[in-house]
Short mmCIF file of all heavy atoms in Angstrom, two decimals:
data_model
loop_
_atom_site.label_atom_id
_atom_site.label_comp_id
_atom_site.label_asym_id
_atom_site.label_seq_id
_atom_site.Cartn_x
_atom_site.Cartn_y
_atom_site.Cartn_z
N GLU N 1 -140.58 -117.21 117.66
CA GLU N 1 -140.92 -116.72 119.03
C GLU N 1 -142.21 -115.90 118.92
O GLU N 1 -143.03 -115.96 119.90
CB GLU N 1 -139.71 -115.89 119.54
CG GLU N 1 -139.85 -115.56 121.00
CD GLU N 1 -138.60 -114.76 121.47
OE1 GLU N 1 -137.52 -115.08 120.94
OE2 GLU N 1 -138.74 -113.89 122.34
N ILE N 2 -142.38 -115.11 117.88
CA ILE N 2 -143.55 -114.27 117.78
C ILE N 2 -144.79 -115.08 117.44
O ILE N 2 -145.85 -114.94 118.08
CB ILE N 2 -143.33 -113.20 116.71
CG1 ILE N 2 -142.44 -112.08 117.31
CG2 ILE N 2 -144.66 -112.61 116.19
CD1 ILE N 2 -142.04 -110.99 116.34
N VAL N 3 -144.73 -115.98 116.42
CA VAL N 3 -145.91 -116.63 116.01
C VAL N 3 -146.37 -117.68 117.02
O VAL N 3 -147.57 -118.14 116.99
CB VAL N 3 -145.67 -117.38 114.60
CG1 VAL N 3 -145.39 -116.32 113.55
CG2 VAL N 3 -144.58 -118.40 114.66
N ASN N 4 -145.48 -118.11 117.93
CA ASN N 4 -145.85 -119.06 118.97
C ASN N 4 -146.25 -118.35 120.31
O ASN N 4 -146.50 -119.06 121.30
CB ASN N 4 -144.76 -120.07 119.20
CG ASN N 4 -144.59 -121.04 118.04
OD1 ASN N 4 -145.57 -121.68 117.66
ND2 ASN N 4 -143.40 -121.12 117.48
N ASN N 5 -146.30 -117.06 120.26
CA ASN N 5 -146.70 -116.25 121.45
C ASN N 5 -148.20 -116.14 121.53
O ASN N 5 -148.77 -115.44 120.67
CB ASN N 5 -145.96 -114.94 121.38
CG ASN N 5 -146.24 -114.09 122.63
OD1 ASN N 5 -147.18 -114.38 123.45
ND2 ASN N 5 -145.44 -113.03 122.80
N PRO N 6 -148.87 -116.76 122.42
CA PRO N 6 -150.34 -116.69 122.47
C PRO N 6 -150.92 -115.35 122.71
O PRO N 6 -152.08 -115.04 122.39
CB PRO N 6 -150.72 -117.66 123.64
CG PRO N 6 -149.50 -117.73 124.47
CD PRO N 6 -148.31 -117.55 123.52
N ALA N 7 -150.11 -114.45 123.28
CA ALA N 7 -150.60 -113.07 123.54
C ALA N 7 -150.63 -112.21 122.24
O ALA N 7 -151.30 -111.18 122.22
CB ALA N 7 -149.64 -112.38 124.55
N VAL N 8 -149.92 -112.64 121.23
CA VAL N 8 -149.88 -111.91 119.92
C VAL N 8 -151.06 -112.35 119.10
O VAL N 8 -151.15 -113.47 118.66
CB VAL N 8 -148.58 -112.09 119.20
CG1 VAL N 8 -148.64 -111.46 117.84
CG2 VAL N 8 -147.42 -111.46 120.02
N LYS N 9 -151.98 -111.43 118.80
CA LYS N 9 -153.14 -111.65 117.92
C LYS N 9 -152.93 -111.03 116.57
O LYS N 9 -153.48 -111.54 115.54
CB LYS N 9 -154.39 -111.15 118.54
CG LYS N 9 -154.65 -111.61 119.92
CD LYS N 9 -154.86 -113.12 119.99
CE LYS N 9 -155.16 -113.62 121.41
NZ LYS N 9 -155.22 -115.12 121.46
N ILE N 10 -152.15 -109.94 116.49
CA ILE N 10 -151.99 -109.20 115.21
C ILE N 10 -150.48 -109.02 115.01
O ILE N 10 -149.81 -108.51 115.90
CB ILE N 10 -152.71 -107.82 115.26
CG1 ILE N 10 -154.18 -108.04 115.46
CG2 ILE N 10 -152.42 -107.07 113.99
CD1 ILE N 10 -154.93 -106.71 115.67
N VAL N 11 -150.01 -109.31 113.79
CA VAL N 11 -148.60 -109.17 113.44
C VAL N 11 -148.52 -108.05 112.41
O VAL N 11 -149.16 -108.04 111.35
CB VAL N 11 -148.01 -110.42 112.87
CG1 VAL N 11 -146.55 -110.15 112.37
CG2 VAL N 11 -147.97 -111.53 113.96
N VAL N 12 -147.75 -106.99 112.70
CA VAL N 12 -147.50 -105.86 111.78
C VAL N 12 -146.20 -106.08 111.07
O VAL N 12 -145.17 -106.17 111.69
CB VAL N 12 -147.52 -104.52 112.55
CG1 VAL N 12 -147.12 -103.42 111.63
CG2 VAL N 12 -148.89 -104.30 113.16
N GLU N 13 -146.28 -106.12 109.75
CA GLU N 13 -145.02 -106.26 108.94
C GLU N 13 -144.66 -104.94 108.24
O GLU N 13 -145.47 -104.46 107.42
CB GLU N 13 -145.26 -107.38 107.87
CG GLU N 13 -143.96 -107.64 107.03
CD GLU N 13 -143.85 -106.77 105.83
OE1 GLU N 13 -144.84 -106.58 105.10
OE2 GLU N 13 -142.76 -106.23 105.64
N THR N 14 -143.49 -104.42 108.56
CA THR N 14 -143.01 -103.23 107.91
C THR N 14 -141.56 -103.35 107.43
O THR N 14 -140.81 -102.42 107.32
CB THR N 14 -143.09 -101.98 108.90
OG1 THR N 14 -142.27 -102.28 110.01
CG2 THR N 14 -144.50 -101.74 109.32
N ILE N 15 -141.21 -104.58 107.09
CA ILE N 15 -139.80 -104.88 106.66
C ILE N 15 -139.64 -104.46 105.22
O ILE N 15 -138.60 -103.80 104.83
CB ILE N 15 -139.54 -106.37 106.74
CG1 ILE N 15 -139.64 -106.82 108.18
CG2 ILE N 15 -138.18 -106.72 106.23
CD1 ILE N 15 -139.59 -108.35 108.39
N GLY N 16 -140.63 -104.71 104.32
CA GLY N 16 -140.50 -104.37 102.91
C GLY N 16 -139.95 -105.51 102.13
O GLY N 16 -139.31 -106.42 102.64
N GLY N 17 -140.12 -105.44 100.82
CA GLY N 17 -139.63 -106.42 99.90
C GLY N 17 -140.44 -107.68 99.89
O GLY N 17 -141.50 -107.78 100.57
N VAL N 18 -139.98 -108.69 99.15
CA VAL N 18 -140.79 -109.92 99.00
C VAL N 18 -139.98 -111.16 99.43
O VAL N 18 -140.33 -112.24 99.11
CB VAL N 18 -141.33 -110.07 97.56
CG1 VAL N 18 -142.36 -109.01 97.27
CG2 VAL N 18 -140.13 -110.06 96.50
N GLY N 19 -138.90 -110.95 100.14
CA GLY N 19 -138.06 -112.06 100.56
C GLY N 19 -138.45 -112.48 101.98
O GLY N 19 -139.37 -113.28 102.21
N VAL N 20 -137.69 -111.96 102.96
CA VAL N 20 -137.95 -112.28 104.33
C VAL N 20 -139.33 -111.91 104.80
O VAL N 20 -140.02 -112.64 105.48
CB VAL N 20 -136.90 -111.59 105.21
CG1 VAL N 20 -137.24 -111.69 106.73
CG2 VAL N 20 -135.48 -112.13 104.98
N ALA N 21 -139.80 -110.74 104.25
CA ALA N 21 -141.11 -110.25 104.67
C ALA N 21 -142.22 -111.28 104.29
O ALA N 21 -143.10 -111.53 105.09
CB ALA N 21 -141.38 -108.89 103.99
N LYS N 22 -142.14 -111.80 103.08
CA LYS N 22 -143.13 -112.80 102.68
C LYS N 22 -143.13 -114.02 103.54
O LYS N 22 -144.18 -114.57 103.99
CB LYS N 22 -142.88 -113.20 101.23
CG LYS N 22 -143.94 -114.14 100.66
CD LYS N 22 -143.62 -114.58 99.28
CE LYS N 22 -144.57 -115.64 98.77
NZ LYS N 22 -144.22 -116.18 97.45
N ALA N 23 -141.94 -114.51 103.82
CA ALA N 23 -141.81 -115.72 104.65
C ALA N 23 -142.37 -115.47 106.05
O ALA N 23 -143.04 -116.33 106.57
CB ALA N 23 -140.30 -116.13 104.76
N PHE N 24 -142.12 -114.33 106.61
CA PHE N 24 -142.56 -113.99 107.95
C PHE N 24 -144.10 -113.84 107.98
O PHE N 24 -144.76 -114.31 108.87
CB PHE N 24 -141.89 -112.74 108.48
CG PHE N 24 -140.49 -112.87 108.94
CD1 PHE N 24 -139.84 -114.17 108.82
CD2 PHE N 24 -139.81 -111.83 109.48
CE1 PHE N 24 -138.55 -114.31 109.23
CE2 PHE N 24 -138.49 -111.98 109.95
CZ PHE N 24 -137.85 -113.25 109.77
N VAL N 25 -144.65 -113.16 106.94
CA VAL N 25 -146.11 -112.98 106.86
C VAL N 25 -146.82 -114.36 106.73
O VAL N 25 -147.81 -114.64 107.39
CB VAL N 25 -146.47 -112.09 105.71
CG1 VAL N 25 -147.93 -112.11 105.39
CG2 VAL N 25 -146.10 -110.63 106.03
N ILE N 26 -146.27 -115.27 105.90
CA ILE N 26 -146.84 -116.56 105.74
C ILE N 26 -146.82 -117.30 107.07
O ILE N 26 -147.81 -117.96 107.47
CB ILE N 26 -146.16 -117.38 104.63
CG1 ILE N 26 -146.49 -116.75 103.23
CG2 ILE N 26 -146.51 -118.84 104.71
CD1 ILE N 26 -145.69 -117.38 102.10
N ALA N 27 -145.68 -117.24 107.81
CA ALA N 27 -145.58 -117.90 109.06
C ALA N 27 -146.63 -117.41 110.05
O ALA N 27 -147.29 -118.22 110.78
CB ALA N 27 -144.15 -117.71 109.65
N ALA N 28 -146.86 -116.11 110.05
CA ALA N 28 -147.85 -115.53 110.94
C ALA N 28 -149.27 -115.97 110.60
O ALA N 28 -150.04 -116.41 111.48
CB ALA N 28 -147.79 -113.96 110.90
N LEU N 29 -149.62 -115.94 109.35
CA LEU N 29 -150.94 -116.35 108.84
C LEU N 29 -151.16 -117.81 109.17
O LEU N 29 -152.31 -118.20 109.60
CB LEU N 29 -151.15 -116.06 107.37
CG LEU N 29 -151.10 -114.58 106.93
CD1 LEU N 29 -151.10 -114.49 105.44
CD2 LEU N 29 -152.31 -113.84 107.56
N GLU N 30 -150.16 -118.66 108.93
CA GLU N 30 -150.33 -120.07 109.14
C GLU N 30 -150.54 -120.39 110.65
O GLU N 30 -151.03 -121.49 111.00
CB GLU N 30 -149.12 -120.79 108.60
CG GLU N 30 -149.12 -120.91 107.09
CD GLU N 30 -147.91 -121.65 106.52
OE1 GLU N 30 -146.88 -121.78 107.22
OE2 GLU N 30 -148.00 -122.08 105.32
N HIS N 31 -150.17 -119.49 111.48
CA HIS N 31 -150.38 -119.66 112.95
C HIS N 31 -151.61 -118.93 113.41
O HIS N 31 -151.83 -118.75 114.61
CB HIS N 31 -149.17 -119.23 113.72
CG HIS N 31 -148.01 -120.20 113.76
ND1 HIS N 31 -147.16 -120.35 112.65
CD2 HIS N 31 -147.60 -121.12 114.68
CE1 HIS N 31 -146.26 -121.32 112.90
NE2 HIS N 31 -146.52 -121.74 114.17
N GLY N 32 -152.41 -118.49 112.44
CA GLY N 32 -153.73 -117.84 112.76
C GLY N 32 -153.61 -116.45 113.21
O GLY N 32 -154.58 -115.90 113.82
N LYS N 33 -152.49 -115.74 112.96
CA LYS N 33 -152.32 -114.36 113.33
C LYS N 33 -152.83 -113.47 112.24
O LYS N 33 -152.41 -113.66 111.06
CB LYS N 33 -150.91 -114.06 113.65
CG LYS N 33 -150.15 -115.02 114.53
CD LYS N 33 -150.63 -115.04 115.97
CE LYS N 33 -149.70 -115.86 116.84
NZ LYS N 33 -150.21 -115.96 118.26
N THR N 34 -153.61 -112.50 112.53
CA THR N 34 -153.99 -111.50 111.55
C THR N 34 -152.79 -110.63 111.24
O THR N 34 -151.97 -110.32 112.13
CB THR N 34 -155.13 -110.63 112.11
OG1 THR N 34 -156.38 -111.35 112.05
CG2 THR N 34 -155.28 -109.33 111.33
N VAL N 35 -152.57 -110.33 109.95
CA VAL N 35 -151.44 -109.56 109.47
C VAL N 35 -151.87 -108.18 108.97
O VAL N 35 -152.83 -108.07 108.25
CB VAL N 35 -150.64 -110.33 108.41
CG1 VAL N 35 -149.63 -109.42 107.75
CG2 VAL N 35 -149.97 -111.55 108.94
N VAL N 36 -151.13 -107.18 109.41
CA VAL N 36 -151.25 -105.80 108.89
C VAL N 36 -149.89 -105.44 108.28
O VAL N 36 -148.88 -105.62 108.92
CB VAL N 36 -151.59 -104.82 110.01
CG1 VAL N 36 -151.52 -103.40 109.50
CG2 VAL N 36 -152.99 -105.13 110.60
N THR N 37 -149.98 -104.99 107.04
CA THR N 37 -148.64 -104.76 106.33
C THR N 37 -148.77 -103.40 105.56
O THR N 37 -149.79 -103.03 105.07
CB THR N 37 -148.27 -105.91 105.37
OG1 THR N 37 -147.10 -105.52 104.64
CG2 THR N 37 -149.40 -106.13 104.34
N SER N 38 -147.56 -102.80 105.44
CA SER N 38 -147.43 -101.60 104.63
C SER N 38 -146.69 -101.91 103.32
O SER N 38 -146.34 -100.95 102.57
CB SER N 38 -146.62 -100.60 105.42
OG SER N 38 -145.27 -101.05 105.73
N ASN N 39 -146.56 -103.18 103.00
CA ASN N 39 -145.70 -103.63 101.92
C ASN N 39 -146.44 -103.74 100.58
O ASN N 39 -147.06 -104.75 100.30
CB ASN N 39 -145.10 -105.02 102.33
CG ASN N 39 -143.92 -105.42 101.46
OD1 ASN N 39 -143.86 -105.04 100.28
ND2 ASN N 39 -143.10 -106.24 102.06
N LYS N 40 -146.34 -102.67 99.79
CA LYS N 40 -147.10 -102.61 98.48
C LYS N 40 -146.64 -103.69 97.47
O LYS N 40 -147.41 -104.28 96.79
CB LYS N 40 -147.12 -101.21 97.84
CG LYS N 40 -145.76 -100.71 97.40
CD LYS N 40 -145.22 -99.76 98.37
CE LYS N 40 -143.88 -99.16 97.99
NZ LYS N 40 -143.35 -98.26 99.01
#
């Protein structure tokens, strides 16, 4: 729903970890969304 929303240009990820967070970040990037993350 988020990555297909044309109004969303930037996706902020603050979930943490490398499971769901990684999958969501990849989905956002593949849809051309810039990603901002706090996930070290």
Side-chain angles (χ1 to χ4, degrees):
E1 191 176 327
I2 283 176
V3 299
N4 289 305
N5 185 343
V8 172
K9 305 299 181 185
I10 299 173
V11 174
V12 173
E13 182 275 311
T14 61
I15 299 169
V18 293
V20 171
K22 181 185 176 185
F24 285 3
V25 167
I26 288 174
L29 293 172
E30 287 179 339
H31 282 77
K33 313 290 187 184
T34 283
V35 168
V36 172
T37 178
S38 60
N39 193 331
K40 65 260 181 183

